Amino acid sequence: MKNLGIGIVGGGIGGMTAALALLRRGFDVSVYEQAPELQEVGAGLQISPNGVRVLASLGLEKELMAISFEPQGKDIRLWNTGDTWKLFDLGVESVERYGFPYITVHRNDLHQLLVKAVQRIKPDAVHLDHRFVAVERNDSRVTIAFADKAPASFDVVIGADGVHSRMRELLFGSGPVQFTGIVAWRGVIPMELLPPELVKPVGVNWVGPGGHVIHYPIRRGELMNFTSVIERQDWTVESWSTPGSNAEYHADYPGWHPDVHAYIEAIPQPFKWALIARPPMQNWVVGRIALLGDACHPSLPFLAQGAVMALEDACILGRAFEEFDTVEKALDRYQRMRIPRTTRAVNGAYANTERFHNPALANPGSAQIYVDTQWAADKVVERYEWLFRYDATSVPLDGGAVAAA
């Protein structure tokens, strides 16, 4: 197994983490990325303790903490009045409870950290400007083809090419997709553009009828990541890079609290995209090819676990190749370990759509009752504890019972 050559299609966070997990275990890995340069979308990520644990196991904890922000807690706020409820404490409590912090980070900062870690082990591991177009396989080899580039053959190939995965399409077909009727907005705000009262060391989730807003500091507190969604039917383009205007953004949130509009006004350039739902896949492996991350379990961004699930995938994949004596056993165990958990996460994110947008939030009286019910301590534990306590670095892979928790 140690002599395997492993090709990874997709050089995003999932692909790079998988490459690092495998390289650190002595496997020879090459990553193929279609972009001409390695540059992730400029947006924030929440990395809960279960994700930080994976990055720490890869030797990145000190560097990670140097580029990230550690919120003191998470708050729920009501869309029109600004009434505030504490969701849960973070900071020191997260470390005491789960062993690792809950952090927020700029997506590009984390991506660059992973790229450098991969290149420290294998300087020529990453091949840019390689647009994957086709795959051929037999019992022992997999050949991947690229537009205007020479093909490459490997013992194993991992498709980590994201939500619009070409590898998934070739292996399993395009699959069902459904527009959710929800449009998302995002922007990153330099902290100096915000008045002092809007610079707070917590993550905030504004909830309201038909929409919600999330913001939190990133990059050591130098930036505020601001994302939101609204129910509307007139925009169905699923692209993170479509620019919108601040005026259109304001118009999507009539009646929302002045703080929300102050954040929107401060965004240098907002972007918008349609949220498309895809049902969880129940098979990720074909022969010596496996999918990873958004290629096989794309999720709505309502549980803050999309990137974290890819980190866990990569960790389990690396461990499976280390612990099993054939490719087939390793890939089978990988997907058996990951499908129940990622399916639960995808379904949990979908369930939060109704929770965050419920009509009961329309007025303060019913909102108070609704929040007291939906964000009661036992409900919060039920929704998050199974996520945060999971340890992808040590959960047994020996063929015992595989559970989502």
Side-chain angles (χ1 to χ4, degrees), residues 220-291:
R220 300 172 293 274
E222 298 166 16
L223 302 170
M224 182 70 77
N225 187 71
F226 190 88
T227 61
S228 67
V229 301
I230 199 74
E231 295 175 7
R232 51 183 274 195
Q233 299 290 332
D234 62 337
W235 185 260
T236 59
V237 179
E238 190 185 26
S239 169
W240 274 46
S241 57
T242 302
S245 69
N246 296 76
E248 182 187 3
Y249 202 162
H250 282 299
D252 268 353
Y253 291 86
W256 283 62
H257 194 273
D259 284 1
V260 171
H261 288 281
Y263 285 115
I264 292 173
E265 188 61 29
I267 298 173
Q269 174 60 68
F271 296 86
K272 62 179 180 178
W273 74 101
L275 294 184
I276 307 298
R278 295 170 174 83
M281 297 176 64
Q282 296 307 307
N283 180 33
W284 301 354
V285 174
V286 175
R288 288 174 167 245
I289 308 170
L291 301 179

Side-chain angles (χ1 to χ4, degrees), residues 202-382:
V202 296
V204 178
N205 185 356
W206 298 76
V207 293
H212 74 276
V213 171
I214 293 174
H215 53 81
Y216 49 82
I218 55 175
R219 190 175 287 169
R220 300 172 293 274
E222 298 166 16
L223 302 170
M224 182 70 77
N225 187 71
F226 190 88
T227 61
S228 67
V229 301
I230 199 74
E231 295 175 7
R232 51 183 274 195
Q233 299 290 332
D234 62 337
W235 185 260
T236 59
V237 179
E238 190 185 26
S239 169
W240 274 46
S241 57
T242 302
S245 69
N246 296 76
E248 182 187 3
Y249 202 162
H250 282 299
D252 268 353
Y253 291 86
W256 283 62
H257 194 273
D259 284 1
V260 171
H261 288 281
Y263 285 115
I264 292 173
E265 188 61 29
I267 298 173
Q269 174 60 68
F271 296 86
K272 62 179 180 178
W273 74 101
L275 294 184
I276 307 298
R278 295 170 174 83
M281 297 176 64
Q282 296 307 307
N283 180 33
W284 301 354
V285 174
V286 175
R288 288 174 167 245
I289 308 170
L291 301 179
L292 181 145
D294 282 349
C296 48
H297 51 79
S299 173
L300 297 179
F302 301 157
L303 198 61
Q305 288 290 307
V308 175
M309 289 296 106
L311 297 178
E312 289 184 0
D313 287 352
C315 180
I316 296 294
L317 183 72
R319 290 182 56 208
F321 272 96
E322 184 176 49
E323 293 185 26
F324 291 90
D325 60 0
T326 70
V327 170
E328 291 75 18
K329 290 179 183 177
L331 292 182
D332 179 68
R333 181 50 45 178
Y334 158 68
Q335 73 167 350
R336 286 176 179 269
M337 292 296 299
R338 295 304 300 155
I339 286 176
R341 181 165 168 83
T342 57
T343 297
R344 185 176 176 184
V346 170
N347 291 338
Y350 193 83
N352 271 344
T353 307
E354 181 178 353
R355 184 172 294 113
F356 291 169
H357 298 183
N358 199 282
L361 297 164
N363 64 78
S366 60
Q368 178 72 57
I369 297 171
Y370 183 78
V371 171
D372 287 345
T373 301
Q374 290 297 317
W375 281 277
D378 61 330
K379 293 287 185 68
V380 172
V381 168
E382 180 184 339

